[in-house]
Amino acid sequence: MSRTVYINGEFVPESEAKISIMDRGYLFADGVYEVSAVINGKMIDNEGHLRRLERSLGELDLRSPLSNHEIEGVQNELIERNGLKEGIIYLQITRGVAERDFLWPEDISPTLTMFTQAKNLLQSPLATKGASIITVPDIRWQRRDIKSIALLPQAMAKHAARKAGANDAWMVDNGYVTEGTSTNAFIVTMEGTLVTRDLSTDILHGITRSAVLRLAEEAELPIEERSFTPQEAYDAAEVFATGSSFFVLPVVEIDGHIISNRAPGPLTNRLREMYIEMATN
Ligand code: PDD
């Protein structure tokens, strides 16, 4: 059975959803997106995702065709129509269709699309085993806080990881880890302190990152929000990544350095359990 998708006010079979080749998302990567996890048919932390969407749109002078409340209604209907129990819902807003020109017409109408993807989030084999990653130079633009659809650097970094026999890549700028290709980066030092990069325009302000920090704070774990180097990650007691489609993902190897005996660490497992408990209740 074909998936039902949403495009500009309509729910249609995927094969009938068509976008103009003049859409600025296609021509200029002029758009933003959000990904929310779905468990038991319910979205996790969607309010945070919609707040971040509003902020990304504002930074690019892009407007949303719908209010956040209306978007949420469409998301829920799409989840329902596709019978999605576990997976993700993707939404994208581009500036819309216009003759190709760097400047857009003032009266352009945005394009809003959404689709669902079924995915094992709770019983992910990678989360059980732990991921191996490589580090790559962060070649992205300087507004990584905006959830832009211009993802070629991240796609190329994942491609480099696959070629190196690894699962994913972390990006490094000026000697410090910024974030994963689609996750935020955390280490646990040998002293047991949770370290993750502080918020700025250098990284995406992950919704999962902030939920995990909130849980860690409630559990009275020592936390430092600061930049760390790849070397600190090689020497860490535990390493993990956070993101909507991974929750808390243990990392067991970085650039060939084995972390926590190549097994997910106890604090990582605990935070993953706490996150899942919070998300499913
Ligand atoms: N990626 N950093 C980057 C560069 C990301 O693309 C993402 C999310 C994150 C984690 O953010 P959050 O916890 O809000 O999902 C961090 C999504 C899931 C994606 O591109 O598929």
Side-chain angles (χ1 to χ4, degrees), residues 204-249:
L204 188 75
H205 301 189
I207 305 301
T208 322
R209 174 193 178 280
S210 64
V212 165
L213 284 178
R214 205 166 53 239
L215 292 168
E217 217 167 84
E218 281 164 22
E220 299 186 356
L221 301 173
I223 299 166
E224 281 177 19
E225 287 185 67
R226 62 163 176 86
S227 299
F228 61 86
T229 62
Q231 187 65 49
E232 284 182 270
Y234 306 154
D235 297 338
E238 300 179 37
V239 177
F240 64 90
T242 60
S244 296
S245 30
F246 300 100
F247 300 158
V248 174
L249 178 69

Side-chain angles (χ1 to χ4, degrees), residues 114-268:
M114 294 187 211
F115 59 84
T116 56
Q117 274 180 345
K119 204 168 174 241
N120 281 340
L121 303 178
L122 296 174
Q123 301 301 330
S124 139
L126 199 56
T128 314
K129 194 163 75 83
S132 68
I133 59 170
I134 57 165
T135 57
V136 297
D138 196 335
I139 59 168
R140 295 175 299 163
W141 74 334
Q142 293 174 14
R143 290 303 308 276
R144 302 158 189 158
D145 54 315
I146 298 171
K147 204 158 172 52
S148 151
I149 58 171
L151 293 171
L152 191 54
Q154 287 98 310
M156 292 312 292
K158 277 194 198 278
H159 176 62
R162 182 173 57 191
K163 283 210 287 194
N167 303 113
D168 205 352
W170 279 9
M171 296 173 285
V172 177
D173 192 14
N174 256 325
Y176 292 94
V177 172
T178 49
E179 58 191 328
T181 54
S182 55
T183 54
N184 288 109
F186 283 75
I187 60 172
V188 180
T189 66
M190 286 296 176
E191 293 74 41
T193 303
L194 203 56
V195 181
T196 192
R197 194 173 172 118
D198 48 318
L199 295 181
S200 70
T201 51
D202 293 342
I203 61 168
L204 188 75
H205 301 189
I207 305 301
T208 322
R209 174 193 178 280
S210 64
V212 165
L213 284 178
R214 205 166 53 239
L215 292 168
E217 217 167 84
E218 281 164 22
E220 299 186 356
L221 301 173
I223 299 166
E224 281 177 19
E225 287 185 67
R226 62 163 176 86
S227 299
F228 61 86
T229 62
Q231 187 65 49
E232 284 182 270
Y234 306 154
D235 297 338
E238 300 179 37
V239 177
F240 64 90
T242 60
S244 296
S245 30
F246 300 100
F247 300 158
V248 174
L249 178 69
V251 171
V252 295
E253 185 180 335
I254 308 179
D255 292 336
H257 300 264
I258 305 300
I259 315 293
S260 57
N261 296 320
R262 205 190 274 282
L267 191 60
T268 305

Side-chain angles (χ1 to χ4, degrees), residues 56-127:
S56 294
L57 289 166
E59 293 298 303
L60 298 179
D61 258 340
L62 238 159
R63 52 187 186 82
S64 175
L66 299 182
S67 68
N68 279 356
H69 183 68
E70 289 167 328
I71 289 178
E72 191 157 81
V74 174
Q75 287 174 312
N76 281 324
E77 181 160 355
L78 197 61
I79 289 167
E80 171 102 33
R81 282 182 185 236
N82 286 289
L84 182 71
K85 294 288 171 259
E86 186 172 334
I88 58 116
I89 181 154
Y90 177 94
L91 91 82
Q92 174 169 311
I93 299 177
T94 70
R95 203 174 301 272
V97 177
E99 189 56 34
R100 183 177 184 275
D101 186 348
F102 286 81
L103 270 182
W104 56 89
E106 303 260 359
D107 61 350
I108 193 167
S109 311
T111 303
L112 170 59
T113 50
M114 294 187 211
F115 59 84
T116 56
Q117 274 180 345
K119 204 168 174 241
N120 281 340
L121 303 178
L122 296 174
Q123 301 301 330
S124 139
L126 199 56

